[in-house]
Amino acid sequence: MADPAPGAIFATILGPDDADLLVRASSLFDNPVRRPWAEKFLQSENNHLALATVAGVPVGFASGITYVHPDKPAELWINEVGVDGDYRRRGIGKAVVACLCRHAKSLGAAKAWVFTDAENFSARGLYGSLDGVESETVMVTIPL
């Protein structure tokens, strides 16, 4: 993947053959990216990952899952957003989330949604800049 201009933010949706790029972006994730998991993730038609690069270097990503219900149109759940610390507050988070949302819309998704912590003001600002509307939702985790 090549940037359109030196220093420009370039965000694109990764495809099934982009596992090497995802492994190169490992530092953006909570844990090291494992190639077999990256391949499995990218091969699923419902998993999506937008990767941002600057000068060919991965600097941010947003991942999500599209799904359908029997009684409503497809939706995008934004699972995770990560931006390299040296590149924060430069529009990269917004670029990858917007890229992910455009992709989901092209697949027929009617809306996107995401959870974040109430204290995560950076994330809340990011989603608000994309016209996101906050709600008072309670997340419950059920151990399996």
Side-chain angles (χ1 to χ4, degrees):
M1 158 180 12
D3 295 334
I9 300 168
F10 180 65
T12 189
I13 299 295
L14 298 188
D17 297 326
D18 291 327
D20 287 337
L21 285 171
L22 199 48
V23 171
R24 278 187 33 222
S26 200
S27 66
L28 300 172
F29 291 82
D30 296 330
N31 300 297
V33 173
R34 296 185 183 185
R35 186 175 179 82
W37 294 350
E39 289 172 347
K40 186 173 183 177
F41 178 91
L42 293 171
Q43 289 170 2
S44 171
E45 66 181 24
N46 294 331
N47 293 337
H48 315 287
L49 193 135
L51 182 69
T53 60
V54 173
V57 176
V59 295
F61 79 94
S63 65
I65 300 167
T66 52
Y67 61 95
V68 294
H69 291 272
D71 64 334
K72 56 186 130 207
E75 297 177 350
L76 170 71
W77 169 50
I78 301 170
N79 180 38
E80 189 173 11
V81 179
V83 177
D84 181 280
D86 292 339
Y87 289 88
R88 292 189 179 145
R89 308 218 39 94
R90 297 186 190 186
I92 291 169
K94 186 173 183 174
V96 290
V97 172
C99 180
L100 189 64
C101 288
R102 283 190 305 272
H103 179 67
K105 185 176 181 178
S106 77
L107 297 173
K111 67 179 177 179
W113 55 274
V114 62
F115 287 111
T116 193
D117 295 324
E119 305 82 31
N120 192 340
F121 298 108
S122 294
R124 291 172 63 191
L126 165 63
Y127 304 130
S129 75
L130 292 162
D131 298 326
V133 178
E134 292 188 15
S135 65
E136 296 207 24
T137 302
V138 175
M139 184 177 116
V140 178
T141 302
I142 302 169
L144 302 178

